[in-house]
C-alpha cells in the first residue's frame, strides 16, 4: 500500500533526512587510504546517535552495522570490517539511514578514495547524474516507470548497465515502504506518483554486466564479472511543485 504523507509529516521527516545526509557526509570525510571500513561505520554511528537518532540499518534484517560500505565490485550491502583497509584508487559506496521522531531518511554516495582511475570517475559521474535524471522524472502525475526509464536511458547510452535484482523504495515511518522504484523500466508504466509520496531513488550502476550475486554472508552483493559498480541515493518527496530532495545536509 502506498502511503501519502501530509505536509506536516514531510516536514518532520526532513529532520531524519537531514541527519542521514550529514551522516553520509561524515562518512565521506573518512574515506581515505589506510582507513578501515569499520572505522567509517563507527563515525557514522556516533554521529547519528549524537543527534538523538537511531541508525536505520543497525540490526535491520540482522544487518550488523550502521552503514553499508561497498568497495569497487561490491554493489551494495557491504559489511564494514576491521580487515578492510581502504587503498588509493578504491571507489567506496556508503549507504546510510537515520530514524528520528518516527521517520527514516535514506541516502547513499560513492566516494573516491584518493585518486581514482578515469574509468571509475566516469562511472561515478554517470551514476550520480542518472540519479538527478530519475529525480527530475519524479513529478506528480508521472509514473514509477518514468523514473526508472530516465535512469536507464541515461546510463545505457554511456555503455553502463542497471542492476535488476535491487531497486529503490518508498520510505517513511518504515525504511522500506511501497512502491518499489526500479532503476529501469518503461515510461508511462507503473504506480502513479502522487503529492505526499516519499521515495528513495537509488541507481546501482555497473561498468559491465548487471548480473550480481550475494556472497555467503547473505549481504555483500557483488558484480558477477568483478567490474566496478556505483550507487547514489536520495530520499525525495513528490510535491505539487515538483520533486523535493529531502536528504540535504545542513
Ligand atoms: Mg534505500
Amino acid at each position: 500500500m502506498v502511503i501519502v504523507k501530509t505536509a506536516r509529516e514531510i516536514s518532520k521527516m526532513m529532520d531524519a533526512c537531514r541527519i542521514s545526509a550529514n551522516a553520509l557526509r561524515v562518512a565521506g570525510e573518512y574515506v581515505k587510504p589506510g582507513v578501515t571500513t569499520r572505522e567509517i561505520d563507527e563515525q557514522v554511528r556516533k554521529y547519528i546517535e549524537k543527534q538523538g537518532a537511531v541508525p536505520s540499518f543497525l540490526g535491520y534484517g540482522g544487518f550488523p552495522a550502521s552503514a553499508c560500505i561497498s568497495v569497487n565490485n561490491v554493489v551494495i550491502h557491504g559489511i564494514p570490517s576491521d580487515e578492510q583497509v581502504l587503498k588509493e584508487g578504491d571507489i567506496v559506496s556508503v549507504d546510510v539511514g537515520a530514524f528520528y521522531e518516527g521517520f527514516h531518511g535514506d541516502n547513499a554516495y560513492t566516494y573516491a578514495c584518493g585518486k581514482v582511475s578515469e574509468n571509475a570517475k566516469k562511472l561515478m559521474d554517470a551514476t550520480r547524474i542518472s540519479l538527478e535524471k530519475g529525480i527530475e522524472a519524479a513529478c506528480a502525475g508521472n509514473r514509477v516507470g518514468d523514473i526508472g526509464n530516465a535512469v536507464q536511458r541515461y546510463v545505457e547510452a554511456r555503455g553502463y548497465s542497471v542492476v535488476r535484482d535491487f531497486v529503490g523504495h518508498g520510505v517513511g515511518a518504515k525504511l522500506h515502504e511501497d512502491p518499489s522504484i526500479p532503476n529501469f523500466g518503461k515510461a508511462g508504466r507503473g504506480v502513479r506518483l502522487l503529492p505526499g509520496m516519499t521515495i528513495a531513488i537509488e541507481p546501482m550502476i555497473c561498468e559491465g554486466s548487471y548480473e550480481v550475486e550475494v556472497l555467503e554472508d547473505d549481504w555483500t552483493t557483488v558484480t558477477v564479472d568483478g567490474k566496478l559498480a556505483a550507487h547514489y541515493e536520495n530520499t525525495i518527496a513528490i510535491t505539487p511543485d515538483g520533486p523535493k530532495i529531502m536528504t540535504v545536509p545542513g
Side-chain angles (χ1 to χ4, degrees):
M1 189 186 70
V2 172
I3 299 164
V4 170
K5 282 99 183 164
T6 63
R8 190 154 169 272
E9 286 171 323
I10 289 177
S11 120
K12 272 189 81 178
M13 190 170 153
M14 290 291 291
D15 291 330
C17 287
R18 191 189 63 251
I19 294 167
S20 302
N22 287 343
L24 186 58
R25 193 177 261 197
V26 166
E29 284 165 13
Y30 285 88
V31 172
K32 285 177 206 145
V35 176
T36 68
T37 51
R38 174 59 74 188
E39 288 174 78
I40 297 172
D41 181 64
E42 268 300 293
Q43 297 297 334
V44 164
R45 184 183 58 78
K46 278 188 197 153
Y47 174 81
I48 291 172
E49 289 177 350
K50 212 172 144 193
Q51 312 312 308
V54 175
S56 301
F57 300 175
L58 188 57
Y60 185 88
F63 190 75
S66 301
C68 299
I69 306 184
S70 307
V71 180
N72 295 335
N73 65 314
V74 182
V75 186
I76 50 167
H77 300 167
I79 300 174
S81 145
D82 289 321
E83 276 80 57
Q84 186 163 35
V85 182
L86 295 180
K87 55 185 194 310
E88 181 91 14
D90 284 341
I91 68 169
V92 184
S93 298
V94 182
D95 193 347
V96 172
F99 182 73
Y100 183 72
E101 296 198 343
F103 291 102
H104 293 275
D106 190 4
N107 60 178
Y109 197 94
T110 301
Y111 293 103
C113 183
K115 193 170 160 40
V116 302
S117 72
E118 205 50 43
N119 283 346
K121 204 175 165 306
K122 280 186 187 155
L123 172 69
M124 291 162 69
D125 287 345
T127 308
R128 198 188 63 249
I129 295 168
S130 78
L131 171 59
E132 291 170 11
K133 301 287 178 193
I135 292 171
E136 282 167 21
C139 296
N142 278 0
R143 291 179 183 269
V144 162
D146 292 302
I147 298 173
N149 186 258
V151 171
Q152 184 178 17
R153 267 191 296 129
Y154 186 81
V155 299
E156 287 186 352
R158 281 147 189 84
Y160 301 123
S161 70
V162 177
V163 168
R164 302 298 201 271
D165 293 358
F166 296 89
V167 296
H169 50 92
V171 53
K174 293 205 178 119
L175 181 60
H176 293 110
E177 296 181 347
D178 287 336
S180 291
I181 312 287
N183 301 295
F184 55 91
K186 290 199 167 75
R189 298 281 181 88
V191 172
R192 191 174 298 279
L193 302 171
L194 301 172
M197 285 171 66
T198 49
I199 59 175
I201 305 179
E202 50 175 325
M204 293 153 251
I205 306 301
C206 303
E207 194 182 20
S209 157
Y210 62 70
E211 272 184 277
V212 298
E213 64 181 332
V214 178
L215 300 186
E216 269 183 6
D217 61 20
D218 285 337
W219 287 105
T220 310
T221 302
V222 301
T223 56
V224 170
D225 61 16
K227 294 189 176 177
L228 297 176
H231 179 212
Y232 292 78
E233 175 182 31
N234 276 133
T235 296
I236 70 154
I238 314 295
T239 82
D241 309 319
K244 178 184 170 65
I245 299 176
M246 299 175 74
T247 35
V248 178

